[in-house]
Amino acid sequence: MLITHDTRCALDAVVDLVNSAPEVSAAEGLPDVAALGGFVRQHNLSDVSRLSEDDLAAVRALRTGFTEVFAAPDASSAAALINELVAAAGTTPQLTDHDDFGWHVHYFAPGASVADHLAADGGMALAFFVVTGERERLRRCEAPDCRHAFVDLSRNRSRRYCDSRTCGNRLHVAAYRARRKEATAVTGATPTGSARGDQVPSEG
Ligand SMILES: [Zn+2]
Ligand SMILES: [Zn+2]
């Protein structure tokens, strides 16, 4: 699956936005306009001008929309939700090579509000997964104490945990076990030691 850099960036913004919800993290991740400003800088959202309380409310509403896309039971409901979000934002697809980025498409209209910017580019990034039949890659972390959304970009769609601090270590351990199993299968050797005795890498 080929994911371009800009699609990847748009997805990261969607995932971080979904995970900023108080139902996901312990607290509201976007408590005020300043926090929204931090989010905009962190994700290098270009062309975003001054932010207001209205922007904050609109971005939180959009967050609910994206959250519903992740929870959509089938492709047609996901498609309907994405269509709604993107249509409400209005898009003007434009090729651009601003700053040091190569050619990529901006879907947001010039001068769009931050919520419309995120809805257009994030919505189109999510649309890609419906189009390619890869919607199951839009996941929730399986760790019992974690509800983080993430996008599984692994080759065999085997990722189960988000890459947050606590779950990231589980991820490393799972990857290590998978590699070990693979190596065992290749050499034909029988695994030595029990799971209990496995040497697993620590976080880092
Ligand atoms: Zn750009
Ligand atoms: Zn997690």
Side-chain angles (χ1 to χ4, degrees):
M1 188 176 49
L2 177 78
I3 297 244
T4 57
H5 177 74
D6 50 316
T7 300
R8 182 70 194 265
C9 291
L11 282 176
D12 286 347
V14 169
V15 166
D16 278 2
L17 180 57
V18 167
N19 289 338
S20 74
E23 310 85 74
V24 178
S25 305
E28 169 61 74
L30 293 174
D32 50 31
V33 174
L36 179 59
F39 181 88
V40 166
R41 279 190 299 282
Q42 187 195 337
H43 290 284
N44 280 314
L45 302 182
S46 52
D47 279 352
V48 172
S49 49
R50 276 186 52 203
L51 298 168
S52 67
E53 290 291 337
D54 287 348
D55 288 312
L56 181 61
V59 169
R60 283 187 188 157
L62 174 65
R63 179 172 70 189
T64 304
F66 281 148
T67 300
E68 286 170 356
V69 174
F70 268 77
D74 50 46
S76 44
S77 38
L81 287 163
I82 293 168
N83 280 343
E84 201 179 310
L85 294 174
V86 172
T91 66
T92 311
Q94 264 191 327
L95 277 161
T96 171
D97 64 347
H98 69 91
D99 300 313
D100 283 333
F101 304 108
W103 287 105
H104 60 287
V105 178
H106 280 174
Y107 291 98
F108 61 90
S113 70
V114 61
D116 285 351
H117 180 134
L118 286 166
D121 281 39
M124 291 313 294
L126 293 175
F128 175 81
F129 289 84
V130 176
V131 171
T132 53
E134 300 274 0
R135 213 174 45 84
E136 66 176 87
R137 289 181 183 273
L138 308 177
R139 303 237 175 103
R140 290 277 178 184
C141 181
E142 287 180 28
D145 48 352
C146 180
R147 300 220 352 96
H148 281 151
F150 70 93
V151 178
D152 178 5
L153 296 178
S154 69
R155 192 187 300 218
N156 54 0
R157 312 179 204 178
S158 59
R159 201 173 141 193
R160 297 169 57 204
Y161 306 113
C162 75
D163 55 6
S164 72
R165 223 178 145 63
T166 36
C167 305
N169 191 40
R170 288 186 173 106
L171 190 69
H172 292 310
V173 171
Y176 169 80
R177 292 230 165 97
R179 278 199 304 276
R180 192 169 176 277
K181 208 170 142 192
E182 218 165 80
T184 305
V186 168
T187 58
T190 41
T192 52
S194 62
R196 171 170 35 92
D198 279 353
Q199 290 282 311
V200 295
S202 57
E203 191 171 4

